[in-house]
mmCIF file of all heavy atoms in Angstrom:
data_model
loop_
_atom_site.group_PDB
_atom_site.id
_atom_site.type_symbol
_atom_site.label_atom_id
_atom_site.label_comp_id
_atom_site.label_asym_id
_atom_site.label_seq_id
_atom_site.Cartn_x
_atom_site.Cartn_y
_atom_site.Cartn_z
ATOM 1 N N ALA P 1 128.354 123.951 -183.582
ATOM 2 C CA ALA P 1 128.677 123.604 -182.151
ATOM 3 C C ALA P 1 130.208 123.379 -182.021
ATOM 4 O O ALA P 1 130.954 123.381 -182.897
ATOM 5 C CB ALA P 1 127.962 122.305 -181.845
ATOM 6 N N GLY P 2 130.640 123.369 -180.676
ATOM 7 C CA GLY P 2 132.013 123.186 -180.395
ATOM 8 C C GLY P 2 132.393 123.717 -179.068
ATOM 9 O O GLY P 2 131.623 124.056 -178.287
ATOM 10 N N GLN P 3 133.666 124.114 -178.988
ATOM 11 C CA GLN P 3 134.178 124.600 -177.587
ATOM 12 C C GLN P 3 133.951 126.114 -177.454
ATOM 13 O O GLN P 3 134.359 126.618 -176.504
ATOM 14 C CB GLN P 3 135.663 124.151 -177.551
ATOM 15 C CG GLN P 3 135.909 122.669 -177.594
ATOM 16 C CD GLN P 3 137.336 122.387 -177.754
ATOM 17 O OE1 GLN P 3 138.086 122.149 -176.778
ATOM 18 N NE2 GLN P 3 137.842 122.347 -179.105
ATOM 19 N N GLY P 4 133.376 126.633 -178.537
ATOM 20 C CA GLY P 4 133.151 128.131 -178.400
ATOM 21 C C GLY P 4 133.997 128.878 -179.405
ATOM 22 O O GLY P 4 135.121 128.445 -179.896
ATOM 23 N N ARG P 5 133.571 130.161 -179.748
ATOM 24 C CA ARG P 5 134.280 130.934 -180.790
ATOM 25 C C ARG P 5 135.764 131.096 -180.438
ATOM 26 O O ARG P 5 136.571 131.207 -181.265
ATOM 27 C CB ARG P 5 133.645 132.245 -180.890
ATOM 28 C CG ARG P 5 132.230 132.210 -181.700
ATOM 29 C CD ARG P 5 131.789 133.520 -181.982
ATOM 30 N NE ARG P 5 131.273 134.272 -180.756
ATOM 31 C CZ ARG P 5 130.119 134.265 -180.356
ATOM 32 N NH1 ARG P 5 129.212 133.686 -180.997
ATOM 33 N NH2 ARG P 5 129.718 135.061 -179.211
ATOM 34 N N GLY P 6 136.046 131.206 -179.045
ATOM 35 C CA GLY P 6 137.482 131.542 -178.745
ATOM 36 C C GLY P 6 138.348 130.339 -178.909
ATOM 37 O O GLY P 6 139.601 130.406 -178.812
ATOM 38 N N SER P 7 137.812 129.133 -179.172
ATOM 39 C CA SER P 7 138.672 127.950 -179.325
ATOM 40 C C SER P 7 139.281 127.811 -180.611
ATOM 41 O O SER P 7 140.298 127.073 -180.831
ATOM 42 C CB SER P 7 137.803 126.759 -179.024
ATOM 43 O OG SER P 7 136.897 126.495 -180.038
ATOM 44 N N GLY P 8 138.701 128.492 -181.756
ATOM 45 C CA GLY P 8 139.264 128.397 -183.001
ATOM 46 C C GLY P 8 138.833 127.088 -183.750
ATOM 47 O O GLY P 8 139.489 126.725 -184.808
ATOM 48 N N ASP P 9 137.849 126.383 -183.280
ATOM 49 C CA ASP P 9 137.435 125.166 -183.888
ATOM 50 C C ASP P 9 136.276 125.308 -184.812
ATOM 51 O O ASP P 9 135.739 124.323 -185.324
ATOM 52 C CB ASP P 9 136.982 124.093 -182.766
ATOM 53 C CG ASP P 9 135.697 124.593 -181.965
ATOM 54 O OD1 ASP P 9 135.164 125.637 -182.271
ATOM 55 O OD2 ASP P 9 135.322 123.860 -180.987
ATOM 56 N N GLY P 10 135.905 126.615 -185.183
ATOM 57 C CA GLY P 10 134.958 126.866 -186.118
ATOM 58 C C GLY P 10 133.541 127.048 -185.568
ATOM 59 O O GLY P 10 132.636 127.306 -186.333
ATOM 60 N N SER P 11 133.400 126.940 -184.340
ATOM 61 C CA SER P 11 132.097 127.058 -183.688
ATOM 62 C C SER P 11 131.685 128.479 -183.742
ATOM 63 O O SER P 11 132.433 129.300 -183.627
ATOM 64 C CB SER P 11 132.093 126.392 -182.404
ATOM 65 O OG SER P 11 133.029 127.006 -181.458
ATOM 66 N N THR P 12 130.345 128.641 -183.658
ATOM 67 C CA THR P 12 129.802 130.004 -183.744
ATOM 68 C C THR P 12 129.149 130.431 -182.398
ATOM 69 O O THR P 12 128.684 131.504 -182.292
ATOM 70 C CB THR P 12 128.653 130.138 -184.931
ATOM 71 O OG1 THR P 12 127.643 129.175 -184.597
ATOM 72 C CG2 THR P 12 129.348 129.696 -186.186
ATOM 73 N N ILE P 13 129.225 129.640 -181.451
ATOM 74 C CA ILE P 13 128.557 129.864 -180.146
ATOM 75 C C ILE P 13 129.558 130.496 -179.132
ATOM 76 O O ILE P 13 130.719 130.419 -179.322
ATOM 77 C CB ILE P 13 127.913 128.644 -179.454
ATOM 78 C CG1 ILE P 13 129.009 127.525 -179.474
ATOM 79 C CG2 ILE P 13 126.746 128.098 -180.398
ATOM 80 C CD1 ILE P 13 128.328 126.222 -178.766
ATOM 81 N N ALA P 14 129.043 131.134 -178.173
ATOM 82 C CA ALA P 14 129.936 131.609 -177.079
ATOM 83 C C ALA P 14 130.581 130.505 -176.334
ATOM 84 O O ALA P 14 130.051 129.477 -176.188
ATOM 85 C CB ALA P 14 129.025 132.531 -176.056
ATOM 86 N N ASP P 15 131.836 130.898 -175.820
ATOM 87 C CA ASP P 15 132.570 129.849 -175.095
ATOM 88 C C ASP P 15 131.799 129.179 -173.799
ATOM 89 O O ASP P 15 131.850 128.067 -173.587
ATOM 90 C CB ASP P 15 133.941 130.353 -174.510
ATOM 91 C CG ASP P 15 134.711 130.880 -175.665
ATOM 92 O OD1 ASP P 15 134.425 130.760 -176.906
ATOM 93 O OD2 ASP P 15 135.937 131.219 -175.443
ATOM 94 N N SER P 16 130.957 130.078 -173.271
ATOM 95 C CA SER P 16 130.189 129.623 -171.976
ATOM 96 C C SER P 16 129.131 128.694 -172.412
ATOM 97 O O SER P 16 128.622 127.964 -171.514
ATOM 98 C CB SER P 16 129.657 130.891 -171.323
ATOM 99 O OG SER P 16 128.774 131.597 -172.217
ATOM 100 N N ASP P 17 128.765 128.646 -173.675
ATOM 101 C CA ASP P 17 127.653 127.773 -174.121
ATOM 102 C C ASP P 17 128.135 126.498 -174.848
ATOM 103 O O ASP P 17 127.464 125.922 -175.492
ATOM 104 C CB ASP P 17 126.717 128.497 -175.103
ATOM 105 C CG ASP P 17 126.153 129.818 -174.406
ATOM 106 O OD1 ASP P 17 125.870 129.751 -173.232
ATOM 107 O OD2 ASP P 17 126.016 130.779 -175.181
ATOM 108 N N ALA P 18 129.480 126.196 -174.613
ATOM 109 C CA ALA P 18 130.048 125.138 -175.421
ATOM 110 C C ALA P 18 129.345 123.835 -175.299
ATOM 111 O O ALA P 18 128.851 123.417 -174.120
ATOM 112 C CB ALA P 18 131.488 124.916 -174.952
ATOM 113 N N PHE P 19 129.092 123.174 -176.434
ATOM 114 C CA PHE P 19 128.519 121.755 -176.457
ATOM 115 C C PHE P 19 128.861 121.147 -177.780
ATOM 116 O O PHE P 19 129.333 121.824 -178.624
ATOM 117 C CB PHE P 19 126.952 121.894 -176.215
ATOM 118 C CG PHE P 19 126.299 122.408 -177.422
ATOM 119 C CD1 PHE P 19 125.765 121.559 -178.438
ATOM 120 C CD2 PHE P 19 126.058 123.783 -177.573
ATOM 121 C CE1 PHE P 19 124.992 122.030 -179.517
ATOM 122 C CE2 PHE P 19 125.318 124.223 -178.733
ATOM 123 C CZ PHE P 19 124.802 123.358 -179.611
ATOM 124 N N GLY P 20 128.717 119.844 -177.779
ATOM 125 C CA GLY P 20 129.037 119.100 -179.083
ATOM 126 C C GLY P 20 127.959 118.043 -179.213
ATOM 127 O O GLY P 20 127.174 117.666 -178.450
ATOM 128 N N SER P 21 128.039 117.457 -180.448
ATOM 129 C CA SER P 21 127.066 116.393 -180.939
ATOM 130 C C SER P 21 125.694 116.690 -180.642
ATOM 131 O O SER P 21 124.961 115.892 -179.926
ATOM 132 C CB SER P 21 127.615 115.136 -180.252
ATOM 133 O OG SER P 21 128.952 114.851 -180.562
ATOM 134 N N PRO P 22 125.053 117.679 -181.261
ATOM 135 C CA PRO P 22 123.705 117.937 -181.032
ATOM 136 C C PRO P 22 122.882 116.829 -181.741
ATOM 137 O O PRO P 22 123.152 116.347 -182.793
ATOM 138 C CB PRO P 22 123.452 119.307 -181.856
ATOM 139 C CG PRO P 22 124.474 119.297 -182.781
ATOM 140 C CD PRO P 22 125.709 118.733 -182.103
ATOM 141 N N ASP P 23 121.795 116.389 -180.995
ATOM 142 C CA ASP P 23 121.088 115.132 -181.375
ATOM 143 C C ASP P 23 119.642 115.459 -181.196
ATOM 144 O O ASP P 23 118.997 115.743 -182.172
ATOM 145 C CB ASP P 23 121.511 113.968 -180.495
ATOM 146 C CG ASP P 23 120.992 112.657 -180.986
ATOM 147 O OD1 ASP P 23 119.984 112.676 -181.689
ATOM 148 O OD2 ASP P 23 121.464 111.684 -180.622
ATOM 149 N N GLY P 24 119.059 115.273 -180.009
ATOM 150 C CA GLY P 24 117.674 115.576 -179.763
ATOM 151 C C GLY P 24 117.320 117.063 -179.938
ATOM 152 O O GLY P 24 118.155 117.897 -179.675
ATOM 153 N N LEU P 25 116.113 117.302 -180.402
ATOM 154 C CA LEU P 25 115.746 118.739 -180.789
ATOM 155 C C LEU P 25 114.232 118.777 -180.626
ATOM 156 O O LEU P 25 113.424 117.874 -181.153
ATOM 157 C CB LEU P 25 116.140 118.938 -182.251
ATOM 158 C CG LEU P 25 116.060 120.452 -182.624
ATOM 159 C CD1 LEU P 25 117.125 121.262 -181.977
ATOM 160 C CD2 LEU P 25 116.264 120.576 -184.222
ATOM 161 N N TRP P 26 113.767 119.822 -179.991
ATOM 162 C CA TRP P 26 112.205 120.046 -179.867
ATOM 163 C C TRP P 26 112.031 121.545 -179.751
ATOM 164 O O TRP P 26 112.697 122.235 -178.981
ATOM 165 C CB TRP P 26 111.719 119.378 -178.606
ATOM 166 C CG TRP P 26 110.233 119.539 -178.467
ATOM 167 C CD1 TRP P 26 109.239 119.250 -179.247
ATOM 168 C CD2 TRP P 26 109.724 120.121 -177.176
ATOM 169 N NE1 TRP P 26 108.038 119.603 -178.566
ATOM 170 C CE2 TRP P 26 108.314 120.094 -177.330
ATOM 171 C CE3 TRP P 26 110.185 120.575 -175.964
ATOM 172 C CZ2 TRP P 26 107.398 120.665 -176.344
ATOM 173 C CZ3 TRP P 26 109.324 121.057 -175.066
ATOM 174 C CH2 TRP P 26 107.996 121.141 -175.211
ATOM 175 N N ALA P 27 111.068 122.029 -180.613
ATOM 176 C CA ALA P 27 110.645 123.434 -180.428
ATOM 177 C C ALA P 27 109.333 123.340 -179.527
ATOM 178 O O ALA P 27 108.347 122.724 -179.922
ATOM 179 C CB ALA P 27 110.251 124.019 -181.829
ATOM 180 N N ASP P 28 109.317 124.132 -178.466
ATOM 181 C CA ASP P 28 108.190 124.155 -177.490
ATOM 182 C C ASP P 28 107.122 125.121 -178.180
ATOM 183 O O ASP P 28 107.368 125.823 -179.140
ATOM 184 C CB ASP P 28 108.591 124.380 -176.081
ATOM 185 C CG ASP P 28 109.084 125.754 -175.913
ATOM 186 O OD1 ASP P 28 108.653 126.812 -176.628
ATOM 187 O OD2 ASP P 28 109.647 126.052 -174.826
ATOM 188 N N PRO P 29 105.896 125.122 -177.554
ATOM 189 C CA PRO P 29 104.969 126.106 -178.111
ATOM 190 C C PRO P 29 105.239 127.505 -178.196
ATOM 191 O O PRO P 29 104.693 128.340 -178.957
ATOM 192 C CB PRO P 29 103.701 125.762 -177.168
ATOM 193 C CG PRO P 29 103.933 124.417 -176.594
ATOM 194 C CD PRO P 29 105.388 124.407 -176.471
ATOM 195 N N ASP P 30 106.156 128.001 -177.325
ATOM 196 C CA ASP P 30 106.583 129.367 -177.435
ATOM 197 C C ASP P 30 107.775 129.735 -178.460
ATOM 198 O O ASP P 30 108.112 130.777 -178.664
ATOM 199 C CB ASP P 30 107.039 129.862 -176.114
ATOM 200 C CG ASP P 30 105.906 129.853 -175.005
ATOM 201 O OD1 ASP P 30 104.776 130.056 -175.431
ATOM 202 O OD2 ASP P 30 106.155 129.626 -173.799
ATOM 203 N N GLY P 31 108.340 128.580 -179.009
ATOM 204 C CA GLY P 31 109.436 128.808 -179.945
ATOM 205 C C GLY P 31 110.779 128.611 -179.336
ATOM 206 O O GLY P 31 111.759 128.807 -180.096
ATOM 207 N N ARG P 32 110.880 128.224 -178.039
ATOM 208 C CA ARG P 32 112.265 127.818 -177.518
ATOM 209 C C ARG P 32 112.726 126.586 -178.317
ATOM 210 O O ARG P 32 111.893 125.652 -178.516
ATOM 211 C CB ARG P 32 112.232 127.528 -176.047
ATOM 212 C CG ARG P 32 111.827 128.834 -175.267
ATOM 213 C CD ARG P 32 111.737 128.420 -173.720
ATOM 214 N NE ARG P 32 111.055 129.500 -173.004
ATOM 215 C CZ ARG P 32 109.699 129.564 -172.863
ATOM 216 N NH1 ARG P 32 108.940 128.638 -173.433
ATOM 217 N NH2 ARG P 32 109.237 130.582 -172.210
#
């Protein structure tokens, strides 16, 4: 996680999907 690949902070996600501090997590019945 982080500010996005373009930020240089080591994150692997796209800049538009930027987020930090993942905590809650749930896989729904379809696999989302």
